[in-house]
Each structure stands twice: as C-alpha cells, then as structure tokens.
Amino acid sequence: MKVSIDAERCQGHGRCFSLAPGLFDFDDLGNGVVIGDGVLSDETLELARLAQANCPEHAIFIEE
Amino acid sequence: MIDKPPVEDFATGWDHADAQWVADPYPIWDDLRGRCPVAHTDRYGGGWFPSTHAGVSQIANDTINFTSRTVIINNGRPGEDAMPAPIGVAPPISSDPPFHQIARRLILPAFAPGPINALEPRVRSLCVDLLDRLDGHEVVNGGTEYAQYIPPAVISRMLGFPEADEDLFREFVHIVIGGIDLPEQQRIEEFQPIEEYFTAQIEDHQANPRDDLTSYLLNVEVGGEKLALEHVFGTMILVLIAGIDTSWSAIGASLWHLAKSPHDLERLVNEPELMPFAIEEFLRFYAPVTMARLVKQDMEYLGCPMKEYDWILLGFPAANRDPAAFKDANRFIIDRQENRHLAFGLGIHRCAGSNLARLELRVAIEEFIKRYPRFELADPSAVTWAPGQIRGPRNLPIRILR
Ligand code: HEM
C-alpha cells in the first residue's frame, strides 16, 4: 500500500500535512509532499485515507 | 448606496447586497440549487450565480472561459476600466495564466507553513492582550472589540507598517470592500488616501530596507529583474484587503456559532482535540468569501447564454452547503471527519493566506474559550452582518456567563 500526491493537482490547501504530519510534509511554496516512499502500514492507511477525504483538489492517491 | 428595490426572485434578479441575502443567504441558496442552479441578474450590468458545488468547481477551474481581472463586483463596466489581464490591479488574485503563476510563486514562500507557524506566539499574545483589556466586562463585543483587531495587527506587522496605523487599515478595507454600490468615480476618489499611504510606505522601505514583506516584494527578482512598482503596490493592497475582513469574518462567525450553540461550546472546551475538525467545519459552514469572475466571450455555458463581461459570482459558501457534496450539508457537525470545503477557493487561486487565516482563527478561538468557557448572545437581534462578498458578523454582543 502506497500513498502519493499529484503535484499537478495540489494547490497547497495544507489539509494533508495538518491531519497526518507523519505522512506528509510541505515544500517551500507550501504544497504537500509525501514523506519518504509513501509506503503505508495498516495504521498509517487510516491517516492517509483521512487526508484523502479532506483534500479539496482530490490530489491524494492511495494504491492498495 | 444607490436605492434599489428589494429582490423579488433571486433566480432572475439576484443581488448579494440585498437585505435578505445579507441577513441570511442560506435559504436563498438552497432554493436556487433546487430550481435554478445558475441564477441570473441584470444588476451590476449583468451576471450569473452558480450555487452548486459542481458549478462552482467547474468555473473556478476554468481559466480559459473566465478571467479574474476583476474579482469584486461593482457598477463599473469592467471591460472598459479595469487594468487588462493577465496582470490586473492586484496580482495574483486579479491575474490569469500564465502571469498568475509567476505572481503567485513570488508570495507563496512568505505564506508557507514555516514562516506562518513562526507567528503563532505573536498572534497568541495579541489575543491575550485584547482579552485582558476586556477583563471584567459582562458583555463583550466579539466583533468590534475582539475579532476586528486581530487580522490588521498581524498583517500590518507582516508588511512592516507602524502598529499605530491599524485603525487606518480597517478603514481602507471598508473603502474597497464596502464600496461595491458606489458609482465608479466616487470609488476612485475614495481610493486616493490608500494610494498615498502605500506609496509613502514603499518609499520608506526603499530608503530603509528591513526584514518584512514590503522589503521582500521590493527586492525579489523574477528572471533577474525586480518587480515593477505597480506590481509591488498591487500585491501589498491585495494582502491588506484579502487578509483582514476575511479572517475577521471567520473569527466572528465562529464565535457567533459558539455563542448560540452551548453543546458545541462545551465539547470544544472539554475536548481540545476536536479543534482541527471544528476549525474546518466553521470554515465550511460560515465560509466568508465569495469571489467574482468575468465571462471572456459570448458563449453557452452550463446551459446559460453568457455574454462577454457578464459577472460570475463564485458561490464558494453556497457550494459548501450543497447536499450533493456534503452529507447533512446544512448541519454543523463539530467533528466532521470528511470535509473538502471550498472556503479558500479551488484551483490556481487557492487562498494564498490560508495558513495564516487558519492560525488566526484557531488561536483567536482557543484563547477566547480558554478565558470564557461559557457565553451566549447578549441580544441575538442586535447582530449585524457585513454586506457584500466578504460576509461575517460585525456587531456581536456576547454575554459572558460565570
Ligand atoms: C478565513 C479567512 C480567509 C478566507 C475564507 C479566504 C478566502 C479566499 C478565497 C476564496 C480566495 C480565492 C479567490 C478566487 O478564487 O478568486 C482567496 C485568495 C487569496 N487570499 Fe484569502 N482568504 C482568507 C484569508 C486570507 C489572508 C489572511 C490572506 C493574506 C494575508 C489572504 C490572501 C489571499 C491571496 C493573496 C489570495 C489570492 C491567491 C491567488 O490568486 O493566487 N487570504 N482567499
């Protein structure tokens, strides 16, 4: 399982790194980035889903 | 204000300055969504109002058919007077691609979470000071004595303006945002003092550069060249206007909600871990900002015969109440888990100040409920709402319960 952000869609609303700071960070412009390789455990999957459900631009993708 | 008759049917003659809309727009939007999802008006020279999440999203993401050249609806004929796209008067909000991205990238680093989070202690001590000043009052005005003071103090600090000028600031904001119904000539005249003040500040910063946003804008380079002074000026004005009434309205509306919802207040006081969800629900439910676009050319769009220079009033707050996009859309759910609200817009113009706005809103509410864990509206009928595209309570008397 893996989470990723589509940088073309991300506009920097900042919902992902606020809700799941262990999984996401921000760059100099304030856009979201995935920390590390984005591989998810059962626990972090929940958090990734929460971030996904709050992204107004639908920029977060989870491969299960 | 020009005298206008009250609106009879919002589907064929909407007006966001109409008394009914100003007092309580939500039933109007619910009604429109059901029978006329893109409403029309002949006022302001002609315009359209999408009230569904789908309609608002589609137009917000369509920078081909719509321009951001003028985002505040007024009585001027935009095609003739406005500074041409793609730059516009206040980059990046009034800019279209491709210039928009250049203007936006310039300011984003200053508003990214890093620098903004660093402001938290300053915002907190500001809120604490304001509350200290109100100590012992039985009734405090959440609008004019609290919410109103927070954003100008923060913004003027960011721009590096004298703290003593904060009252002047709020006046400027009202001139621009409150003046939607004034004739064009009068608006230009009222803008004069703002122009003079900003010019003086720019000159002072040129002579004495310092570590603030104004100096940053004066010195930043694009392609090896500094920004044109009009660009610096426009962006400063934008930050002033975009950063004050907006956050102040969000703080006020959130206090208003808590004052009339004792159960939500009690939960927020006792379960601080709800705060991140509560903040987003305040923003969804009481989204204060509605922005405009102009139609670029005659076309049939969303089933409507749109004309060049027709206005589009982008109803982000209405989209946030669309049951097609939100479960129980008209219920305030303080711990709502799934919340893709559009309070900060959508697409390339996403509010550049959203990190700052959230910081101000969170800290303002945290400090208020810490000081006053129980309060209620002192006089619900005395609460007044600002007209226009930035909506929030202005007069907000709150009775403190001990
Ligand atoms: C709760 C408070 C706020 C709300 C609800 C809000 C809402 C919005 C919205 C909806 C837009 C999109 C405009 C459009 O699509 O035409 C926007 C843009 C913008 N906002 Fe905010 N705003 C708030 C606070 C702030 C603050 C505090 C600042 C800065 C200090 C700010 C600066 C900006 C800027 C610079 C833009 C233009 C971005 C661009 O065009 O790329 N806003 N805001």
Side-chain angles (χ1 to χ4, degrees), chain A residues 15-55:
Chain A
R15 306 287 286 119
C16 58
F17 52 77
S18 304
L19 287 165
L23 287 178
F24 305 96
D25 203 351
F26 48 85
D27 64 15
D28 288 351
L29 299 176
N31 288 334
V33 289
V34 172
I35 295 175
D37 57 12
V39 172
L40 300 169
S41 65
D42 286 343
E43 278 152 47
T44 55
L45 175 62
E46 286 303 301
L47 275 171
R49 284 203 178 123
L50 181 67
Q52 186 181 42
N54 283 281
C55 176

Short mmCIF file of all heavy atoms in Angstrom, two decimals, chain A residues 15-55:
data_model
loop_
_atom_site.label_atom_id
_atom_site.label_comp_id
_atom_site.label_asym_id
_atom_site.label_seq_id
_atom_site.Cartn_x
_atom_site.Cartn_y
_atom_site.Cartn_z
N ARG A 15 -4.21 20.50 3.91
CA ARG A 15 -5.01 19.62 4.76
C ARG A 15 -4.24 18.34 5.11
O ARG A 15 -4.35 17.82 6.20
CB ARG A 15 -6.33 19.28 4.07
CG ARG A 15 -7.12 20.48 3.63
CD ARG A 15 -7.76 21.23 4.79
NE ARG A 15 -8.89 20.46 5.29
CZ ARG A 15 -8.99 19.98 6.50
NH1 ARG A 15 -8.02 20.18 7.37
NH2 ARG A 15 -10.05 19.30 6.86
N CYS A 16 -3.46 17.82 4.16
CA CYS A 16 -2.79 16.54 4.37
C CYS A 16 -1.73 16.63 5.47
O CYS A 16 -1.74 15.85 6.42
CB CYS A 16 -2.19 16.01 3.07
SG CYS A 16 -1.00 17.11 2.28
N PHE A 17 -0.84 17.62 5.38
CA PHE A 17 0.22 17.67 6.39
C PHE A 17 -0.28 18.16 7.74
O PHE A 17 0.38 17.96 8.75
CB PHE A 17 1.45 18.44 5.91
CG PHE A 17 1.21 19.82 5.36
CD1 PHE A 17 0.97 20.89 6.21
CD2 PHE A 17 1.25 20.05 3.99
CE1 PHE A 17 0.77 22.17 5.69
CE2 PHE A 17 1.03 21.33 3.48
CZ PHE A 17 0.79 22.39 4.33
N SER A 18 -1.47 18.79 7.78
CA SER A 18 -2.04 19.14 9.08
C SER A 18 -2.66 17.93 9.75
O SER A 18 -2.50 17.72 10.95
CB SER A 18 -3.14 20.20 8.91
OG SER A 18 -2.63 21.32 8.25
N LEU A 19 -3.36 17.11 8.96
CA LEU A 19 -4.06 15.96 9.54
C LEU A 19 -3.14 14.77 9.78
O LEU A 19 -3.35 13.99 10.71
CB LEU A 19 -5.21 15.53 8.62
CG LEU A 19 -6.43 16.46 8.61
CD1 LEU A 19 -7.32 16.14 7.41
CD2 LEU A 19 -7.22 16.33 9.91
N ALA A 20 -2.16 14.62 8.91
CA ALA A 20 -1.28 13.45 9.01
C ALA A 20 0.17 13.88 8.86
O ALA A 20 0.85 13.56 7.87
CB ALA A 20 -1.65 12.43 7.93
N PRO A 21 0.70 14.61 9.85
CA PRO A 21 2.04 15.16 9.72
C PRO A 21 3.14 14.09 9.64
O PRO A 21 4.24 14.37 9.17
CB PRO A 21 2.21 16.02 10.98
CG PRO A 21 1.14 15.61 11.93
CD PRO A 21 0.04 14.98 11.12
N GLY A 22 2.84 12.87 10.06
CA GLY A 22 3.84 11.81 9.95
C GLY A 22 3.99 11.31 8.52
O GLY A 22 5.01 10.74 8.14
N LEU A 23 2.96 11.54 7.71
CA LEU A 23 2.96 11.02 6.33
C LEU A 23 3.29 12.08 5.30
O LEU A 23 3.83 11.78 4.24
CB LEU A 23 1.57 10.46 5.99
CG LEU A 23 1.14 9.15 6.62
CD1 LEU A 23 -0.28 8.82 6.16
CD2 LEU A 23 2.10 8.04 6.19
N PHE A 24 2.89 13.33 5.62
CA PHE A 24 3.04 14.40 4.63
C PHE A 24 3.80 15.57 5.23
O PHE A 24 3.74 15.83 6.43
CB PHE A 24 1.66 14.91 4.17
CG PHE A 24 0.76 13.84 3.63
CD1 PHE A 24 -0.20 13.24 4.44
CD2 PHE A 24 0.86 13.44 2.30
CE1 PHE A 24 -1.04 12.27 3.95
CE2 PHE A 24 0.02 12.46 1.80
CZ PHE A 24 -0.94 11.86 2.63
N ASP A 25 4.48 16.28 4.35
CA ASP A 25 5.20 17.49 4.73
C ASP A 25 4.86 18.55 3.68
O ASP A 25 4.07 18.29 2.76
CB ASP A 25 6.70 17.19 4.78
CG ASP A 25 7.46 18.17 5.68
OD1 ASP A 25 6.86 19.17 6.12
OD2 ASP A 25 8.66 17.94 5.92
N PHE A 26 5.48 19.73 3.79
CA PHE A 26 5.23 20.77 2.80
C PHE A 26 6.55 21.25 2.22
O PHE A 26 7.59 21.15 2.87
CB PHE A 26 4.47 21.95 3.40
CG PHE A 26 5.05 22.44 4.70
CD1 PHE A 26 6.09 23.35 4.72
CD2 PHE A 26 4.55 21.97 5.93
CE1 PHE A 26 6.62 23.81 5.92
CE2 PHE A 26 5.08 22.42 7.13
CZ PHE A 26 6.12 23.34 7.13
N ASP A 27 6.48 21.77 0.97
CA ASP A 27 7.69 22.32 0.36
C ASP A 27 7.75 23.83 0.58
O ASP A 27 6.90 24.40 1.28
CB ASP A 27 7.77 21.93 -1.13
CG ASP A 27 6.63 22.53 -1.94
OD1 ASP A 27 5.96 23.47 -1.44
OD2 ASP A 27 6.42 22.09 -3.08
N ASP A 28 8.71 24.50 -0.07
CA ASP A 28 8.90 25.94 0.15
C ASP A 28 7.68 26.78 -0.21
O ASP A 28 7.49 27.87 0.29
CB ASP A 28 10.07 26.46 -0.73
CG ASP A 28 11.40 25.98 -0.20
OD1 ASP A 28 11.41 25.43 0.92
OD2 ASP A 28 12.41 26.17 -0.90
N LEU A 29 6.90 26.27 -1.15
CA LEU A 29 5.72 27.02 -1.59
C LEU A 29 4.50 26.68 -0.73
O LEU A 29 3.44 27.27 -0.90
CB LEU A 29 5.40 26.72 -3.05
CG LEU A 29 6.47 27.08 -4.08
CD1 LEU A 29 6.04 26.64 -5.48
CD2 LEU A 29 6.71 28.59 -4.07
N GLY A 30 4.66 25.68 0.16
CA GLY A 30 3.52 25.27 0.98
C GLY A 30 2.69 24.17 0.35
O GLY A 30 1.60 23.85 0.85
N ASN A 31 3.17 23.60 -0.74
CA ASN A 31 2.44 22.47 -1.34
C ASN A 31 2.77 21.18 -0.59
O ASN A 31 3.84 21.05 0.00
CB ASN A 31 2.80 22.33 -2.82
CG ASN A 31 2.20 23.43 -3.66
OD1 ASN A 31 1.16 24.01 -3.30
ND2 ASN A 31 2.82 23.74 -4.78
N GLY A 32 1.84 20.23 -0.63
CA GLY A 32 2.03 18.98 0.09
C GLY A 32 3.02 18.06 -0.60
O GLY A 32 3.09 18.02 -1.84
N VAL A 33 3.82 17.35 0.19
CA VAL A 33 4.70 16.30 -0.35
C VAL A 33 4.63 15.08 0.57
O VAL A 33 4.41 15.21 1.77
CB VAL A 33 6.19 16.76 -0.47
CG1 VAL A 33 6.36 17.78 -1.58
CG2 VAL A 33 6.70 17.34 0.85
N VAL A 34 4.79 13.90 -0.03
CA VAL A 34 4.80 12.67 0.76
C VAL A 34 6.17 12.51 1.40
O VAL A 34 7.19 12.75 0.75
CB VAL A 34 4.49 11.46 -0.15
CG1 VAL A 34 4.67 10.15 0.59
CG2 VAL A 34 3.06 11.58 -0.68
N ILE A 35 6.18 12.11 2.67
CA ILE A 35 7.46 11.87 3.35
C ILE A 35 7.95 10.47 2.96
O ILE A 35 7.20 9.50 3.04
CB ILE A 35 7.29 11.95 4.88
CG1 ILE A 35 6.89 13.39 5.29
CG2 ILE A 35 8.57 11.54 5.61
CD1 ILE A 35 6.59 13.56 6.76
N GLY A 36 9.22 10.38 2.55
CA GLY A 36 9.80 9.08 2.22
C GLY A 36 9.15 8.45 1.01
O GLY A 36 8.74 9.14 0.07
N ASP A 37 9.00 7.10 1.05
CA ASP A 37 8.49 6.40 -0.14
C ASP A 37 6.96 6.25 -0.13
O ASP A 37 6.38 5.72 -1.07
CB ASP A 37 9.16 5.04 -0.28
CG ASP A 37 8.97 4.17 0.96
OD1 ASP A 37 8.12 4.54 1.82
OD2 ASP A 37 9.65 3.13 1.09
N GLY A 38 6.31 6.71 0.95
CA GLY A 38 4.85 6.68 0.97
C GLY A 38 4.24 5.32 1.24
O GLY A 38 3.02 5.14 1.14
N VAL A 39 5.07 4.35 1.58
CA VAL A 39 4.53 3.01 1.87
C VAL A 39 3.75 3.06 3.18
O VAL A 39 4.20 3.64 4.16
CB VAL A 39 5.66 1.96 1.93
CG1 VAL A 39 5.11 0.61 2.42
CG2 VAL A 39 6.30 1.80 0.56
N LEU A 40 2.54 2.45 3.16
CA LEU A 40 1.64 2.56 4.31
C LEU A 40 1.53 1.25 5.09
O LEU A 40 1.55 0.17 4.51
CB LEU A 40 0.23 2.94 3.82
CG LEU A 40 0.12 4.27 3.07
CD1 LEU A 40 -1.27 4.39 2.42
CD2 LEU A 40 0.37 5.45 4.00
N SER A 41 1.40 1.39 6.40
CA SER A 41 1.06 0.23 7.23
C SER A 41 -0.46 0.28 7.46
O SER A 41 -1.13 1.21 7.03
CB SER A 41 1.79 0.35 8.57
OG SER A 41 1.29 1.48 9.26
N ASP A 42 -0.99 -0.73 8.17
CA ASP A 42 -2.43 -0.70 8.43
C ASP A 42 -2.82 0.55 9.21
O ASP A 42 -3.88 1.13 8.98
CB ASP A 42 -2.84 -1.95 9.23
CG ASP A 42 -2.85 -3.18 8.33
OD1 ASP A 42 -2.87 -3.00 7.09
OD2 ASP A 42 -2.83 -4.31 8.87
N GLU A 43 -1.93 0.96 10.13
CA GLU A 43 -2.25 2.16 10.93
C GLU A 43 -2.19 3.43 10.10
O GLU A 43 -3.08 4.28 10.18
CB GLU A 43 -1.25 2.31 12.08
CG GLU A 43 -1.56 1.48 13.29
CD GLU A 43 -0.28 1.15 14.06
OE1 GLU A 43 0.51 2.10 14.28
OE2 GLU A 43 -0.09 -0.02 14.40
N THR A 44 -1.12 3.57 9.33
CA THR A 44 -0.99 4.83 8.58
C THR A 44 -1.98 4.89 7.42
O THR A 44 -2.29 5.98 6.94
CB THR A 44 0.46 5.04 8.08
OG1 THR A 44 0.85 3.91 7.33
CG2 THR A 44 1.41 5.26 9.24
N LEU A 45 -2.50 3.75 7.01
CA LEU A 45 -3.51 3.75 5.94
C LEU A 45 -4.72 4.59 6.36
O LEU A 45 -5.25 5.38 5.56
CB LEU A 45 -3.94 2.32 5.61
CG LEU A 45 -5.08 2.18 4.61
CD1 LEU A 45 -4.69 2.75 3.25
CD2 LEU A 45 -5.50 0.72 4.44
N GLU A 46 -5.14 4.43 7.61
CA GLU A 46 -6.27 5.21 8.12
C GLU A 46 -6.02 6.71 7.99
O GLU A 46 -6.88 7.47 7.56
CB GLU A 46 -6.52 4.88 9.60
CG GLU A 46 -7.17 3.53 9.84
CD GLU A 46 -8.50 3.41 9.11
OE1 GLU A 46 -9.39 4.24 9.40
OE2 GLU A 46 -8.63 2.53 8.23
N LEU A 47 -4.81 7.11 8.39
CA LEU A 47 -4.45 8.52 8.32
C LEU A 47 -4.39 9.03 6.89
O LEU A 47 -4.84 10.13 6.57
CB LEU A 47 -3.09 8.74 8.99
CG LEU A 47 -3.10 8.92 10.50
CD1 LEU A 47 -1.67 8.91 11.04
CD2 LEU A 47 -3.79 10.23 10.87
N ALA A 48 -3.85 8.20 6.02
CA ALA A 48 -3.78 8.58 4.61
C ALA A 48 -5.19 8.75 4.04
O ALA A 48 -5.45 9.68 3.27
CB ALA A 48 -3.01 7.52 3.81
N ARG A 49 -6.09 7.87 4.47
CA ARG A 49 -7.49 7.98 3.99
C ARG A 49 -8.15 9.24 4.51
O ARG A 49 -8.92 9.89 3.81
CB ARG A 49 -8.30 6.76 4.44
CG ARG A 49 -7.99 5.53 3.63
CD ARG A 49 -9.17 4.56 3.72
NE ARG A 49 -8.90 3.38 2.91
CZ ARG A 49 -8.91 2.14 3.40
NH1 ARG A 49 -9.17 1.93 4.69
NH2 ARG A 49 -8.66 1.12 2.61
N LEU A 50 -7.83 9.60 5.75
CA LEU A 50 -8.39 10.82 6.33
C LEU A 50 -7.91 12.04 5.52
O LEU A 50 -8.70 12.92 5.16
CB LEU A 50 -7.95 10.96 7.80
CG LEU A 50 -8.48 12.19 8.55
CD1 LEU A 50 -10.00 12.11 8.74
CD2 LEU A 50 -7.79 12.34 9.91
N ALA A 51 -6.62 12.06 5.22
CA ALA A 51 -6.06 13.17 4.43
C ALA A 51 -6.74 13.22 3.06
O ALA A 51 -7.13 14.29 2.57
CB ALA A 51 -4.55 13.01 4.29
N GLN A 52 -6.88 12.05 2.47
CA GLN A 52 -7.50 11.97 1.14
C GLN A 52 -8.93 12.52 1.16
O GLN A 52 -9.34 13.26 0.27
CB GLN A 52 -7.52 10.51 0.68
CG GLN A 52 -7.99 10.31 -0.74
CD GLN A 52 -8.00 8.83 -1.12
OE1 GLN A 52 -8.40 7.97 -0.34
NE2 GLN A 52 -7.53 8.55 -2.33
N ALA A 53 -9.66 12.19 2.21
CA ALA A 53 -11.06 12.59 2.32
C ALA A 53 -11.21 14.09 2.59
O ALA A 53 -12.32 14.61 2.57
CB ALA A 53 -11.75 11.81 3.43
N ASN A 54 -10.11 14.76 2.84
CA ASN A 54 -10.17 16.19 3.14
C ASN A 54 -9.43 17.05 2.11
O ASN A 54 -9.33 18.26 2.29
CB ASN A 54 -9.61 16.46 4.53
CG ASN A 54 -10.62 16.07 5.61
OD1 ASN A 54 -11.56 16.81 5.88
ND2 ASN A 54 -10.47 14.88 6.18
N CYS A 55 -8.94 16.44 1.06
CA CYS A 55 -8.22 17.22 0.05
C CYS A 55 -9.22 17.80 -0.95
O CYS A 55 -9.83 17.06 -1.72
CB CYS A 55 -7.20 16.35 -0.70
SG CYS A 55 -6.38 17.26 -2.02
#
